[in-house]
Amino acid sequence: MILIGLGANLPSEGYGAPESTLEAALGLMAERGVSVRRCSRWYRTPPVPMSDQPWYVNGVAAVETGLSPASLLNVLQATEKALGRARRTRWEARVADLDLLAYGTQIIGDHGRTGETALAVPHPRLHERLFVLIPLVELDRHWRHPILGKTAADLLAELPPDPRIKPFGA
């Protein structure tokens, strides 16, 4: 299963509110050869690390593509740019953040994450992030992390809960 993490906490000029921008991202990915098979609900989540920026809208999509992991990462970054994202500083507020979380059982790259655009699969911090694991468990609680060997549900159970994270609109 190929998994994409989606997040936004700023409105985009062309698509409006973060949830609308993320819906647009799914459509733009489809136009670029990435078929969305399933998508979690959107969740309202605090920024990580905590700051005074707006809260995020986050979700996870299961996709299919004939693209290689590197080509898929390029598509995700081109989609972010088309939505209005300009990469300036780490942890900044953004109109779109699309992360390649997992590409089947493949293990690629330096999981120390040497650069913001470096390819590392599975995502090196996937197992530490409630804003990824909560929607991932909704999609497939039995998905297994290729390095850690634990299911999404097990990884989520290892983190302290955050009652502030709720489905968008709840």
Side-chain angles (χ1 to χ4, degrees):
M1 180 180 326
I2 302 170
L3 297 170
I4 307 296
L6 301 100
N9 70 338
L10 295 176
S12 71
E13 192 172 304
Y15 300 97
E19 63 276 14
S20 299
T21 302
L22 296 178
E23 292 289 341
L26 296 172
L28 290 171
M29 288 170 25
E31 291 172 11
R32 293 173 161 98
V34 181
S35 300
V36 177
R37 293 297 173 220
R38 291 181 293 146
C39 190
S40 70
R41 292 178 288 179
W42 301 123
Y43 287 83
R44 185 164 163 69
T45 65
V48 175
M50 197 57 174
S51 68
D52 62 354
Q53 63 181 270
W55 278 40
Y56 278 80
V57 176
N58 285 101
V60 172
V63 304
E64 289 182 2
T65 185
L67 298 171
S68 69
S71 294
L72 177 54
L73 180 62
N74 289 336
V75 164
L76 296 179
Q77 291 173 346
T79 302
E80 289 175 343
K81 189 173 182 180
L83 293 166
R85 179 170 182 186
R87 291 178 181 267
R88 290 178 292 272
T89 60
R90 192 172 191 194
W91 309 119
E92 68 184 341
R94 55 196 69 128
V95 298
D97 186 21
L98 307 177
D99 289 329
L100 177 54
L101 300 175
Y103 196 102
T105 58
Q106 291 191 38
I107 300 169
I108 302 168
D110 170 11
H111 283 79
R113 193 78 181 219
T114 56
E116 197 62 20
T117 60
L119 177 60
V121 176
H123 190 287
R125 291 178 298 279
L126 177 159
H127 62 287
E128 301 169 352
R129 295 178 163 172
L130 287 172
F131 66 83
V132 169
L133 291 172
I134 291 171
L136 176 53
V137 166
E138 178 184 321
L139 274 185
D140 185 353
R141 65 184 300 100
H142 301 291
W143 174 83
R144 194 166 293 279
H145 192 288
I147 294 173
L148 302 175
K150 297 177 180 180
T151 67
D154 291 337
L155 293 170
L156 179 60
E158 291 177 357
L159 296 178
D162 186 340
R164 300 172 300 168
I165 298 176
K166 300 203 180 307
F168 192 78

